[in-house]
Amino acid sequence: MRLIIFLKASSNTGRPLAFAFDIDGVLIRGGEALPAAKEALSIINGNNALGLKIPYILLTNGGGVSEVERCRKLSIQLGVQIDPAQYIQAHTILKTVAHKYADVPVLVLGGKGDTVRKVAEGYGFNEVYNTLDILAWNPSVWPLHTLTQDEHLSVKSADFSQISFAAIFVFHDPRNWALDIQVICDVIQSGGIVGGPYLSDHGRSPVDLVFCNPDLIWRSDFERPRLGQGAFKDAFQTVFKSLTGSNYPHVLYGKPTMATYSFAEMVLKDRLRGQLPSVFPAPDNPESDIAGANAAQWKSILVHTGVYNPQQGPPSHQPTHEAEDVVQAVRWALDQEFDGEGVRKGIVA
Ligand code: G3P
Ligand code: MG
């Protein structure tokens, strides 16, 4: 009986406790689970002195496959069942805008082959093309790349001289930056039709442009952080500005945007039957994760297993606490919230 009481009430906010785990650089590096990941998840799944099960979500700027597919893979890597209802990736939030573009042509970027097209169709976009489709239609759009066999098998044929794109969505990290930057410029400069006459005023192009992951860098299994979708966005804007004299207005989702944190709070509230929890994220990237957590007024525990390297000086955004790895982060949060008796600190039972 007692256990239930303190799970439901929290110390000073009256809110239940919940974790929001980042993936790259915290639970996973490259294709492998980090040693601390399994232990951390086992602790919050009840393997602790109090037998507590603490609700949690995974909140990542990664993506490129469906939530179901990624959770299937993560469950194997992490050795615990990850439910798609507790998993938010960079483009999951597009489920909330797909209805606006349901029956108009949209261009999606990122990921392998046509995987992202299928994800977009799963969200409710019904007319989805990618840059490989356009290159298959007319190879002179980008003469410096010849479609591979696999790419050829993934394309959807269409006459793009008749298709006017309403929007461009960068779902995940593009594989072919050069082709993708060329095609985005083509679509925007011609007001939607690849190869169409250029608009006189590019700033008035009707094409919406949406990026889902602001990360300039992220941590994989290489010794140093790798360029992310944010670097692709900057590369595009630099080229577009050289061509037209100005940057192109765009919408941004993903951590640290408030849209993504509000979306995550909505998902957590759903999981906690309408209660808004006191959230503890354990991430690795100050620029995206800590900046976002601070703006969302979440406590945050910056771990040292990913992008942030303490030898390089203080983090650009101040976390609530720093920890060697995710298991230290979980322990610190539980220590903050519960005393040795399992009583939630600050609560008079
Ligand atoms: O491409 C993914 C990367 O930008 C970061 O992912 O899990 O650390 O938010 P994550
Ligand atoms: Mg990360």
Side-chain angles (χ1 to χ4, degrees), residues 105-110 112-118 120-121 126-142 145 147-148 150-161 163 165 176 179-180 183 187 194:
V106 297
L107 183 64
V108 296
L109 279 74
K112 255 203 189 125
D114 65 347
T115 317
V116 159
R117 183 209 321 279
K118 295 196 176 98
E121 287 166 349
N126 300 322
E127 259 194 83
V128 186
Y129 300 96
N130 62 32
T131 52
L132 299 175
D133 300 340
I134 293 171
L135 192 57
W137 162 69
N138 184 345
S140 60
V141 164
W142 186 247
H145 178 70
L147 288 177
T148 64
D150 285 352
E151 288 172 338
H152 251 305
L153 292 172
S154 77
V155 302
K156 181 161 99 171
S157 68
D159 176 1
F160 289 98
S161 67
I163 291 178
F165 287 106
N176 188 329
L179 165 65
D180 290 0
V183 172
V187 171
V194 176

Side-chain angles (χ1 to χ4, degrees), residues 22-26 60 215 218-219 255 283-285 288-289 307:
D22 178 41
I23 296 181
D24 290 303
V26 175
T60 176
D215 286 353
W218 66 292
R219 188 65 195 275
K255 301 172 289 182
D284 71 307
N285 188 334
S288 47
D289 304 309
V307 167

Side-chain angles (χ1 to χ4, degrees), residues 259-278:
T260 287
Y261 283 84
S262 311
F263 183 77
E265 287 191 346
M266 189 189 72
V267 168
L268 274 165
K269 270 177 91 175
D270 279 358
R271 288 190 74 66
L272 291 148
R273 301 197 193 87
Q275 289 186 85
L276 182 60
S278 167

Side-chain angles (χ1 to χ4, degrees), residues 283-291 294 300-304 307-323:
D284 71 307
N285 188 334
E287 289 296 329
S288 47
D289 304 309
I290 303 300
N294 291 352
S300 58
I301 313 156
L302 178 61
V303 301
H304 297 171
V307 167
Y308 174 64
N309 174 352
Q311 276 137 28
Q312 289 164 352
S316 55
H317 296 269
Q318 193 52 41
T320 313
H321 182 68
E322 287 186 34

Side-chain angles (χ1 to χ4, degrees), residues 16-340:
L17 168 68
F19 283 96
F21 290 111
D22 178 41
I23 296 181
D24 290 303
V26 175
L27 299 177
I28 301 273
R29 211 152 65 195
E32 301 298 318
L34 281 161
K38 292 182 178 171
E39 190 182 349
L41 292 173
S42 131
I43 290 173
I44 61 164
N45 277 312
N47 182 11
N48 54 64
L50 311 159
L52 291 175
K53 272 187 181 292
I54 306 223
Y56 65 98
I57 58 169
L58 274 58
L59 178 61
T60 176
N61 272 352
V65 293
S66 72
E67 285 75 11
V68 169
E69 174 53 24
R70 186 76 198 276
C71 288
R72 188 191 61 72
K73 198 167 168 218
L74 284 166
S75 301
I76 296 165
Q77 289 169 310
L78 298 169
V80 288
Q81 201 52 39
I82 303 293
D83 182 333
Q86 65 183 137
Y87 174 74
I88 301 171
Q89 57 188 357
H91 42 76
T92 307
I93 195 168
L94 295 183
K95 289 180 180 178
T96 64
V97 300
H99 63 281
K100 287 191 219 151
Y101 302 91
D103 301 312
V104 289
V106 297
L107 183 64
V108 296
L109 279 74
K112 255 203 189 125
D114 65 347
T115 317
V116 159
R117 183 209 321 279
K118 295 196 176 98
V119 175
E121 287 166 349
Y123 289 173
F125 296 93
N126 300 322
E127 259 194 83
V128 186
Y129 300 96
N130 62 32
T131 52
L132 299 175
D133 300 340
I134 293 171
L135 192 57
W137 162 69
N138 184 345
S140 60
V141 164
W142 186 247
L144 305 183
H145 178 70
T146 306
L147 288 177
T148 64
Q149 184 66 23
D150 285 352
E151 288 172 338
H152 251 305
L153 292 172
S154 77
V155 302
K156 181 161 99 171
S157 68
D159 176 1
F160 289 98
S161 67
Q162 304 306 313
I163 291 178
S164 180
F165 287 106
I168 300 169
F169 292 92
V170 185
F171 272 59
H172 189 41
D173 305 13
R175 259 49 178 183
N176 188 329
W177 284 30
L179 165 65
D180 290 0
I181 289 174
Q182 176 67 72
V183 172
I184 300 180
C185 292
D186 287 334
V187 171
I188 291 173
Q189 288 180 276
S190 303
I193 301 181
V194 176
Y198 283 165
L199 297 178
S200 54
D201 171 0
H202 304 103
R204 299 174 66 74
S205 178
V207 180
D208 296 341
L209 176 60
V210 178
F211 291 90
C212 294
N213 171 6
D215 286 353
L216 180 66
I217 55 172
W218 66 292
R219 188 65 195 275
S220 179
D221 50 3
F222 188 68
E223 267 329 294
R224 295 282 162 263
R226 302 296 76 192
L227 296 177
Q229 190 185 130
F232 172 80
K233 173 172 71 67
D234 294 352
F236 156 72
Q237 289 290 11
T238 306
V239 169
F240 190 81
K241 189 166 185 180
S242 307
L243 288 170
T244 66
S246 56
N247 283 345
Y248 190 69
H250 60 272
V251 172
L252 196 53
Y253 292 122
K255 301 172 289 182
T257 67
M258 270 320 288
T260 287
Y261 283 84
S262 311
F263 183 77
E265 287 191 346
M266 189 189 72
V267 168
L268 274 165
K269 270 177 91 175
D270 279 358
R271 288 190 74 66
L272 291 148
R273 301 197 193 87
Q275 289 186 85
L276 182 60
S278 167
V279 190
F280 274 87
D284 71 307
N285 188 334
E287 289 296 329
S288 47
D289 304 309
I290 303 300
N294 291 352
Q297 296 171 339
W298 292 5
K299 295 174 187 154
S300 58
I301 313 156
L302 178 61
V303 301
H304 297 171
T305 49
V307 167
Y308 174 64
N309 174 352
Q311 276 137 28
Q312 289 164 352
S316 55
H317 296 269
Q318 193 52 41
T320 313
H321 182 68
E322 287 186 34
E324 263 317 298
D325 58 31
V326 66
V327 79
Q328 299 304 328
V330 163
R331 289 215 170 97
W332 181 82
L334 293 182
D335 282 352
Q336 293 302 298
E337 297 293 317
F338 298 100
D339 68 17

